[in-house]
Amino acid sequence: MGKLDGRVVLVTGAARGQGEQEARLFREEGARVVVADVLDDQGEALAKEIGALYVHLDVGREEDWTAAAAAAKDAYGRVDGLVNNAGVLRFNALVDTSLDEFMRVVRVNQVGVFLGIRTLAPEIEAAGGGTIVNTASYTGLAGMAYVGAYAATKHAIVGLTRVAALELARKGIRVNAVCPGAVDTAMTDPGEGVSAETVDKLYRKRIPLGRIGRPEEVARLALFLSCEDSSYITGQPFVVDGGWLAGVSLL
């Protein structure tokens, strides 16, 4: 018996990284998974591999959400779970961030979560209840220099999570947030000019557990919040960051 047997769960940003691992794990646990992304080739390949449905979804577009919900219902009859995983990260000093760049981050990270909740909460209620897991960040609970737009949106996601949990609880929907720290995905790749050795040294120094996180570790937390193991939990942010948020390590 899988922990998600009989469930239908849509995962955004599922073509790679944390979303991919969530889609894989949820499928292993018996869920019928909707892989949603804008990376069509990667998303379609993953869906074919794990036996899932792929839908093209730009999370900042209302019409894409409407189409994704319809496709999921056509394929599986209902939707009773959502993982709002899609996100973008930009590194820049706050005073050097253009309004266009700031709004691009807001559109994906913040508006995407809002539209996901607004679109699928009625479907989840109609299915008899279920779960929503929003991907925030440890920067949604603390500041971090040079990621002002990202941190602003992740703080907003924590707030949206709490409001949605209050409003949707009586409709049988639990809403929680995962707050990852540094996780080894394409989004956190510093790009050209920064070696893997330099990044590894930074994390060994800064993170109490001495390493960067793995996408599958975040996926396991999302699974916990999507199954009956967390049946009495809603409205909460859960940090998975190797101890980074605990404080400054002097060792």
Side-chain angles (χ1 to χ4, degrees):
M1 294 290 290
K3 292 187 175 183
L4 297 176
D5 280 350
R7 298 285 305 282
V8 177
V9 183
L10 186 149
V11 182
T12 69
R16 64 182 184 179
Q18 290 173 188
E20 176 187 349
Q21 295 305 316
E22 288 159 352
R24 290 182 182 277
L25 180 59
F26 282 33
R27 190 74 187 95
E28 290 170 6
E29 290 291 340
R32 289 171 289 179
V33 173
V34 181
V35 173
D37 211 306
V38 294
L39 301 175
D40 294 332
D41 290 344
Q42 289 174 264
E44 288 174 354
L46 174 64
K48 182 177 180 180
E49 177 187 344
I50 66 176
L53 170 70
Y54 177 74
V55 296
H56 179 91
L57 174 60
D58 177 341
V59 296
R61 291 172 57 90
E62 291 182 85
E63 54 269 40
D64 277 20
W65 274 106
T66 300
K73 288 179 65 179
D74 286 345
Y76 300 129
R78 69 181 195 280
V79 180
D80 52 20
L82 168 64
V83 180
N84 275 314
N85 168 77
V88 294
L89 171 65
R90 298 290 184 269
F91 293 96
N92 212 344
L94 191 60
V95 297
D96 295 329
T97 302
S98 69
L99 178 58
D100 284 346
E101 178 179 310
F102 189 91
M103 294 307 297
R104 282 196 297 270
V105 176
V106 168
R107 180 180 178 276
V108 175
N109 294 3
Q110 183 176 338
V111 174
V113 168
F114 162 70
L115 288 177
I117 294 171
R118 194 185 70 177
T119 303
L120 290 188
E123 303 296 342
I124 296 172
E125 180 186 6
T131 57
I132 297 173
V133 177
N134 299 322
T135 303
S137 165
Y138 96 103
T139 65
L141 301 170
M144 181 176 177
Y146 301 106
V147 293
Y150 181 81
T153 61
K154 296 304 183 177
H155 273 76
I157 289 170
V158 172
L160 281 170
T161 296
R162 288 171 169 150
V163 172
L166 293 172
E167 294 186 6
L168 300 177
R170 298 300 173 90
K171 297 180 179 181
I173 304 173
R174 296 188 295 106
V175 188
N176 291 290
V178 296
C179 299
V183 179
D184 188 11
T185 67
M187 188 178 77
T188 58
D189 185 346
E192 296 181 7
V194 182
S195 69
E197 182 180 357
T198 298
V199 173
D200 184 58
K201 182 178 180 181
L202 170 66
Y203 290 131
R204 285 203 310 270
K205 180 178 180 181
R206 299 293 184 188
I207 299 175
L209 289 186
R211 63 173 176 83
I212 193 170
R214 298 185 292 269
E216 55 267 31
E217 292 173 311
V218 180
R220 289 196 289 268
L221 177 56
L223 171 64
F224 169 73
L225 295 173
S226 298
C227 73
E228 285 302 302
D229 290 345
S230 59
S231 58
Y232 198 54
I233 299 174
T234 195
Q236 302 303 315
F238 288 81
V239 178
V240 50
D241 71 345
W244 201 344
L245 193 61
V248 178
S249 176
L250 299 179
L251 301 178

